[in-house]
């Protein structure tokens, strides 16, 4: 389950804004009509300022942007979620807007569909490279192995990875959905083309804590990463 509160609001056919640590979902009669997150580029960024876009293409982009922002808005957070009854998204998209909004009614999406897609994306990320440390860390490129090929999408990302920008920042630079950029970074990490930051150090044990486990030998840890990378490419 992604958000018990979202399920309750959907069951109550509530209208308003579900505010969480990493973004906001806007509901109308229990359905999601808009999502925004500071991580996810808005519809204007994804369309690249194109003026001649058909209604069907724009709606597909808007739906994709909604799912993109909802994925991050529903990420686990530390602060409590809260609901503002009757709140509506702004008429004009602002910084970090995930799905517009555009003039006219937005296509509503059921809360169950949003939850299902969010879970699918989480599972996809872990199946590619089960180390979420790369998600928020600066993307540090590594040279490819002799004969190793890189996709055009991967090359475009690596060309803009300067060791400072995070995957979210690269999404804005590339004008791509944040989740797709995150997925590409994990693929590159599995292929050994970007650095995987070391896991955060464990806290010092207290006098009453169990003895700390001796960390694995560096060569053993490296071997495990290589095996994980090979399995991720199968």
């Amino acid at each position: 389950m992604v958000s018990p509160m979202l399920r309750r609001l959907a069951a109550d056919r509530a209208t308003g804004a579900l505010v969480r640590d990493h973004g906001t979902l806007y509901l109308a009669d229990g359905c999601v009509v808009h999502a925004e997150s500071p991580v996810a580029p808005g519809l204007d960024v994804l369309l690249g300022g194109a003026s001649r876009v058909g209604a069907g293409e724009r709606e597909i982009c808007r739906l994709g942007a909604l799912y993109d922002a909802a994925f991050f808005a529903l990420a686990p957070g530390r602060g409590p979620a809260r609901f503002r009854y009757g709140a509506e998204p702004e008429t004009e998209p602002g910084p970090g807007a995930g799905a517009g909004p555009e003039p006219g009614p937005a296509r509503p999406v059921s809360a169950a569909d949003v939850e299902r897609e969010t879970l699918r994306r989480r599972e996809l990320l872990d199946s590619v490279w089960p180390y979420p440390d790369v998600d928020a860390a600066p993307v540090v490129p590594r040279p490819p192995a002799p004969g190793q090929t890189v996709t055009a999408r991967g090359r475009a990302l690596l060309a803009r990875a300067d060791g400072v920008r995070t995957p979210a920042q690269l999404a804005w630079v590339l004008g791509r959905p944040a989740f797709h950029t995150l997925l590409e970074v994990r693929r590159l990490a599995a292929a050994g083309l970007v650095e995987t930051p070391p896991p955060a150090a464990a806290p010092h044990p207290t006098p009453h804590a169990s003895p700390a486990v001796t960390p694995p030998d560096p060569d053993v840890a490296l071997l495990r990463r290589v095996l994980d990378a090979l399995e991720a490419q199968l």
Side-chain angles (χ1 to χ4, degrees):
M1 184 181 298
V2 173
S3 172
M5 188 173 184
L6 176 60
R7 287 193 175 186
R8 291 196 301 269
L9 293 168
D12 294 341
R13 299 181 62 86
T15 296
L18 175 59
V19 182
R20 293 170 55 91
D21 283 356
H22 306 293
T24 303
L25 300 180
Y26 289 89
L27 282 67
D29 293 327
C31 291
V32 180
V33 295
H34 177 62
E36 58 187 37
S37 170
V39 177
L43 184 61
D44 54 338
V45 176
L46 298 180
L47 291 176
S51 56
R52 296 184 178 181
V53 179
E57 184 179 356
R58 181 176 292 274
E59 183 60 25
I60 291 173
C61 289
R62 173 160 51 184
L63 185 61
L66 186 151
Y67 279 124
D68 192 44
F71 173 79
F72 295 98
L74 292 173
R78 296 182 178 180
R82 58 190 185 279
F83 189 70
R84 294 187 287 137
Y85 283 92
E88 298 180 354
E90 297 178 1
T91 303
E92 296 297 330
E102 294 291 321
R107 175 187 173 187
V109 181
S110 71
D113 284 345
V114 171
E115 182 178 49
R116 188 180 303 111
E117 178 62 15
T118 298
L119 289 173
R120 186 192 71 83
R121 293 184 178 207
R122 290 182 184 178
E123 292 172 358
L124 180 58
L125 286 175
D126 287 339
S127 70
V128 170
W129 185 245
Y131 296 98
D133 302 291
V134 300
D135 295 352
V139 180
V140 181
R142 299 180 62 185
Q148 186 176 17
T149 60
V150 185
T151 64
R153 188 179 295 270
R155 290 196 301 271
L157 191 152
L158 291 171
R160 293 163 177 80
D162 54 5
V164 177
R165 295 189 180 108
T166 64
Q169 292 170 328
L170 286 170
W172 284 82
V173 171
L174 293 166
R176 295 178 183 170
F179 171 78
H180 293 169
T181 304
L182 194 59
L183 181 61
E184 189 63 32
V185 169
R186 288 218 192 184
R187 286 172 175 157
L188 291 170
L193 294 170
V194 299
E195 296 283 353
T196 298
H204 294 291
T206 63
H208 301 286
S210 301
V213 178
T214 303
D217 182 87
D219 291 339
V220 175
L222 177 60
L223 178 60
R224 287 177 180 173
R225 287 184 58 190
V226 172
L227 291 175
D228 288 337
L230 291 174
E231 292 174 355
Q233 298 180 59
L234 295 178

